[in-house]
Amino acid sequence: LIAQSIRQGYDSLTKPGIRDYTHYTFAGQIGMTVTNYGILGEGYQSCVQPSCRYKLYSEYKQEQIEHFSYAGLWVGGKKNNKTIVSTAIIDGFVSDEYGSRPAGREFTSSADSADVIKIKSTFNKAVSDPVIRELASYYDSTAVSHQDMIAEFTDTSQIIPGTDVQIPHEPLGVKVHLETYCWNYPYANSFVILNYTIENISGEEIINPYVGIWADNSVGNMNFTSICEPGGGWSWYDNRNDYVDSLDMAIQSDIDGDQGWAQSYFGLKYLGSKNIVSEEDFDVYYDQWPWNGGQLSGVDHHLTPIGDNEIYERMHQYPGSEYTTIEEAASWMSLITAGPLGNRVDPQFREVIWEPGEKINFAFAVVCGLWATEDLNDTEERRAILYENANWAQRAYDLGYELPGPPPPPNIYVVPEDQKITIYWDNSPEDSTNADAYDPVSQIIDFEGYRIYCGRKTGVGLGRTLLAQYDIIDEFEVAPMGFVNYNTGLDPVRIYDENGNPTTKEFVVGGDTMTFHYKYVDYNLKNGWPGRNWYSVVAFDYGNAEKDIPSAESAAIKAYAIPGTVGNPGLKREIGVYPNPYRATADWDGFGERDRMIWFTNLPPKAEIRIYTLSGEILDIIKHDADTYDGSDIRLLNDLVFGQNPKFSGGEHAWDLITRYNQAVAAGLYLFTVEDLETKDISIGKFAIIK
């Protein structure tokens, strides 16, 4: 999936335009909806737009996992001896209709139609990758990350601006400025930082303010069983929460992983604040309770808080270090809070004061991580990836968001041919004229070489295979941590002309003519195999020995291709079908009758394929055009490489064994003809189907 393809279909959603809910993070692997009224997530209202999906760009459907439906900001304190809490959302508030609950949906944007989510990016060069190309369109020299999203909202309105819908609450009196940060660096693409700056606009002192994030966690996968289909959806009641005191992080996972479709962790982590004026009184707090007031054995005190007094009490009731996690599975809510935060301390009453007109700043992170082991028991070893990602989120905060950056990914282009695929890429990661090639911290080009990856070639399951690595020739006085320098040089993959001189190759990509400097050929491939033949070329740096920063790779721009025969004008080669005979099912097939596929091979660039029974009945007519063929008429191809724009060789066309009458063909012997539409030559052949 790419950002643009995910965004289709918003017209069906109908909220006032000033309530901006259509934007989400897409620079990294977390796709999280961010609104301009304090809520995160979109509540699984759309099966297209992610709520909190990780991994957003995985080609494996088992890894495209949702983690929460809604989450939102809570801010509470005492004003004029009265406890007031403003909440973006709490149990039961999943629409714009206000019921009897005393809290929720209490932040709003202004009535200004321009008061919508703003996006900025540090990327300033459009490349072949569509995601980076889109991010580069938001380039701003003041951006912090690869994708900043900026929203402002207040709790002071008594109605939803632009409507007459009442908001029954008493405002605390705050104005919120939220900036979310995310990166596409491989080590930093699994967390989103929420950086809040909140101003006290009430005109009164706010005593002992606490801030936090509430989340309705639910780890599940739309591809496993879509919540948008009748009778679909996964269980919300088989989740288990925990709190990791050493990381200040609440976590949740599906208790059994839904048969391999929900093997991921959700983490909600406190990062820090600039307004801890009383270290002695400050703490991080955690609570959990079953959805909407439900009770479980032994946890009667963990009920949905009702009213500002109960809500405020929950915000500073259970310090994480004193909290005992409940291991019973349920539809658990998570609440992580911090405080008190403010601008000064009243030593007489030992109270933290947030003065009128002053601001407080704090940050949380949404962190995700796939299970590190296949163990169904929740172990520390299984949490290893989540913990690593959480530590990088904390490091990003501690570094002031100035992350050491690997080189940018090169532009890549693939050309499929008969049993081989050629990968081309450019030299942008090493180009001194490319501003993105400079490390954002050291401000030097620390390019070291290229690695070429493809879909897993051996074994089963998910993963990738390293095809080759080429690095420049150099020596280090002190080798960076974990760095191995092979000193191969880049000449083995450089493009040369017939005289042996370095040259370039040009292709038109997305309407632009792009120049490539290197190539690598992957031989001995199986023609027609979908899904497995993806390639990426990543650039890597040499790290920093002084700061113990290891060598890092760029993000991987994946290019998909399906090898096969090239165009066959004039029918100079024999046209065929494979596999022939077709035995249900071929190794690449799915399980349903519409998830099958055979290939016509050695086709001319423009052709008409006709398929007949032995009695001469026409079962299907297929138009083939090598310039436009994208496999979109085959469900199996769509399922395996949907949204990836795979390259085809031009001389092959798939058929899903479904007739033009929308019926699956039976076992038997069939005839076909192929007409070259340019020369009018006709070829005749046959194939068999065995079930």
Side-chain angles (χ1 to χ4, degrees):
L1 295 176
I2 62 174
Q4 292 170 336
S5 68
I6 296 174
R7 290 184 174 171
Q8 296 173 357
Y10 290 159
D11 292 343
S12 61
L13 302 176
T14 55
K15 290 184 181 179
I18 54 177
R19 291 176 64 77
D20 189 345
Y21 59 96
T22 65
H23 290 89
Y24 59 91
T25 60
F26 61 87
Q29 285 286 6
I30 295 181
M32 183 182 72
T33 294
V34 179
T35 74
N36 65 346
Y37 44 95
I39 291 177
L40 307 172
E42 57 82 48
Y44 305 147
Q45 301 298 303
S46 165
C47 288
V48 179
Q49 179 177 332
S51 191
C52 182
R53 189 180 305 160
Y54 174 85
K55 293 180 172 182
L56 183 64
Y57 296 109
S58 176
E59 69 273 18
Y60 303 112
K61 291 186 175 182
Q62 293 94 326
E63 292 185 344
Q64 300 167 9
I65 303 167
E66 290 283 3
H67 291 74
F68 68 72
S69 59
Y70 284 116
L73 175 69
W74 288 15
V75 183
K78 294 181 179 292
K79 190 172 65 173
N80 293 324
N81 295 318
K82 185 173 185 180
T83 299
I84 303 174
V85 183
S86 290
T87 57
I89 189 167
I90 192 171
D91 306 20
F93 278 84
V94 294
S95 72
D96 283 336
E97 297 300 323
Y98 287 81
S100 60
R101 285 211 178 277
R105 299 278 178 156
E106 295 174 352
F107 291 102
T108 69
S109 59
S110 73
D112 186 350
S113 61
D115 186 11
V116 294
I117 299 289
K118 307 296 192 303
I119 299 178
K120 298 192 295 187
S121 176
T122 56
F123 281 120
N124 66 0
K125 183 177 181 181
V127 296
S128 61
D129 178 63
V131 174
I132 298 179
R133 182 183 292 269
E134 182 174 353
L135 287 168
S137 69
Y138 298 108
Y139 171 72
D140 190 303
S141 60
T142 65
V144 174
S145 71
H146 291 154
Q147 184 190 13
D148 302 358
M149 296 179 65
I150 302 167
E152 292 191 341
F153 43 91
T154 70
D155 70 341
T156 55
S157 180
Q158 297 295 315
I159 63 169
I160 297 178
T163 76
D164 57 0
V165 178
Q166 298 293 315
I167 305 176
H169 80 118
E170 182 175 354
L172 183 62
V174 296
K175 179 180 180 180
V176 182
H177 178 90
L178 167 63
E179 296 188 4
T180 68
Y181 308 137
C182 59
W183 292 263
N184 81 342
Y185 299 149
Y187 68 83
N189 66 9
S190 300
F191 59 82
V192 176
I193 289 177
L194 310 170
N195 181 22
Y196 290 94
T197 301
I198 304 183
E199 181 181 357
N200 177 358
I201 60 174
S202 69
E204 306 285 345
E205 290 183 345
I206 298 176
I207 310 300
N208 291 336
Y210 290 82
V211 298
I213 304 291
W214 168 97
D216 183 2
N217 317 342
S218 180
V219 180
N221 194 317
M222 293 287 189
N223 300 306
F224 174 60
T225 172
S226 175
I227 204 168
C228 295
E229 296 177 358
W234 57 85
S235 173
W236 294 49
Y237 294 88
D238 63 346
N239 293 294
R240 182 165 52 202
N241 283 17
D242 196 3
Y243 181 81
V244 183
D245 185 66
S246 61
L247 294 173
D248 291 330
M249 182 168 68
I251 68 173
Q252 184 184 96
S253 61
D254 184 276
I255 198 166
D256 61 4
D258 286 346
Q259 304 172 42
W261 288 87
Q263 294 185 347
S264 182
Y265 285 100
F266 167 72
L268 190 57
K269 176 176 169 54
Y270 168 77
L271 294 176
S273 172
K274 300 176 182 178
N275 296 96
I276 302 174
V277 293
S278 175
E279 293 280 357
E280 183 179 358
D281 296 310
F282 176 84
D283 213 332
V284 179
Y285 299 84
Y286 170 72
D287 201 353
Q288 66 183 64
W289 58 83
W291 161 255
N292 222 13
Q295 295 189 27
L296 297 177
S297 59
V299 292
D300 289 351
H301 60 294
H302 291 284
L303 304 178
T304 304
I306 304 296
D308 282 2
N309 287 321
E310 286 188 15
I311 292 173
Y312 182 70
E313 182 182 13
R314 290 294 183 88
M315 295 181 74
H316 59 96
Q317 185 173 15
Y318 299 108
S321 58
E322 299 178 7
Y323 190 86
T324 301
T325 300
I326 302 162
E327 296 186 355
E328 190 168 352
S331 176
W332 289 108
M333 307 296 100
S334 290
L335 175 66
I336 182 168
T337 58
L341 303 177
N343 309 111
R344 66 179 178 90
V345 177
D346 183 335
Q348 180 180 359
F349 298 101
R350 197 175 170 178
E351 293 176 331
V352 173
I353 310 298
W354 184 9
E355 297 175 323
E358 296 294 329
K359 298 177 180 179
I360 58 175
N361 174 265
F362 55 91
F364 289 87
V366 170
V367 187
C368 296
L370 298 180
W371 292 6
T373 71
E374 296 181 358
D375 191 350
L376 290 180
N377 295 316
D378 181 18
T379 64
E380 290 294 295
E381 292 76 18
R382 202 180 77 176
R383 298 180 181 184
I385 296 175
L386 175 73
Y387 287 175
E388 180 181 1
N389 295 339
N391 285 327
W392 270 113
Q394 187 66 58
R395 191 171 187 183
Y397 177 82
D398 295 342
L399 290 172
Y401 311 122
E402 291 187 355
L403 296 184
N411 292 296
I412 180 175
Y413 191 82
V414 292
V415 177
E417 297 176 86
D418 190 8
Q419 301 182 70
K420 69 177 182 180
I421 291 176
T422 303
I423 307 104
Y424 294 89
W425 68 96
D426 69 4
N427 67 354
S428 54
E430 52 188 293
D431 182 3
S432 62
T433 65
N434 178 13
D436 290 334
Y438 292 81
D439 185 285
V441 176
S442 66
Q443 289 301 308
I444 64 172
I445 296 179
D446 54 356
F447 167 81
E448 180 60 26
Y450 298 104
R451 295 187 181 110
I452 306 164
Y453 292 101
C454 70
R456 185 169 180 170
K457 283 185 173 288
T458 58
V460 295
L462 312 181
R464 64 181 184 177
T465 295
L466 175 63
L467 290 177
Q469 173 176 318
Y470 300 93
D471 53 7
I472 60 178
I473 298 173
D474 52 16
E475 297 293 341
F476 297 101
E477 293 183 5
V478 179
M481 180 175 57
F483 181 71
V484 178
N485 188 4
Y486 295 102
N487 281 338
T488 62
L490 303 180
D491 288 344
V493 287
R494 204 178 304 275
I495 299 174
Y496 294 95
D497 62 20
E498 62 275 8
N499 298 319
N501 299 315
T503 187
T504 59
K505 182 80 171 179
E506 291 186 346
F507 294 97
V508 176
V509 182
D512 298 327
T513 299
M514 305 192 71
T515 301
F516 299 90
H517 303 79
Y518 304 101
K519 73 174 183 179
Y520 178 90
V521 183
D522 192 19
Y523 293 100
N524 301 318
L525 302 178
K526 292 183 178 180
N527 283 353
W529 204 284
R532 289 189 179 179
N533 293 308
W534 62 258
Y535 296 87
S536 65
V537 179
V538 301
F540 62 94
D541 61 20
Y542 47 76
N544 188 311
E546 295 179 356
K547 297 183 179 181
D548 290 331
I549 297 175
S551 172
E553 293 182 350
S554 68
I557 298 177
K558 291 182 178 178
Y560 289 73
I562 298 179
T565 56
V566 296
N568 180 26
L571 306 182
K572 296 178 181 178
R573 299 188 303 274
E574 182 179 356
I575 293 176
V577 171
Y578 68 90
N580 189 10
Y582 169 86
R583 301 176 185 272
T585 59
D587 286 346
W588 58 49
D589 284 354
F591 298 102
E593 285 191 332
R594 296 182 181 274
D595 297 320
R596 304 179 300 173
M597 185 172 64
I598 64 174
W599 289 91
F600 290 90
T601 183
N602 283 328
L603 297 174
K606 290 180 172 51
E608 180 180 273
I609 306 167
R610 293 188 173 223
I611 303 164
Y612 303 85
T613 65
L614 291 179
S615 63
E617 178 187 1
I618 297 178
L619 295 180
D620 208 353
I621 300 175
I622 302 171
K623 297 288 187 180
H624 172 74
D625 188 332
D627 294 331
T628 60
Y629 179 59
D630 60 4
S632 59
D633 56 333
I634 306 297
R635 189 168 81 174
L636 181 61
L637 286 177
N638 272 302
D639 286 347
L640 293 174
V641 291
F642 170 73
Q644 309 296 349
N645 298 316
K647 297 289 189 305
F648 292 85
S649 61
E652 306 211 341
H653 200 114
W655 185 48
D656 58 4
L657 307 180
I658 301 296
T659 72
R660 60 178 175 168
Y661 307 110
N662 203 31
Q663 296 176 331
V665 297
L669 186 65
Y670 296 89
L671 305 176
F672 70 86
T673 63
V674 174
E675 180 183 0
D676 185 329
L677 296 180
E678 294 178 341
T679 67
K680 303 305 179 182
D681 294 330
I682 295 178
S683 177
I684 301 174
K686 59 185 177 181
F687 62 91
I689 296 176
I690 302 173
K691 294 187 177 181

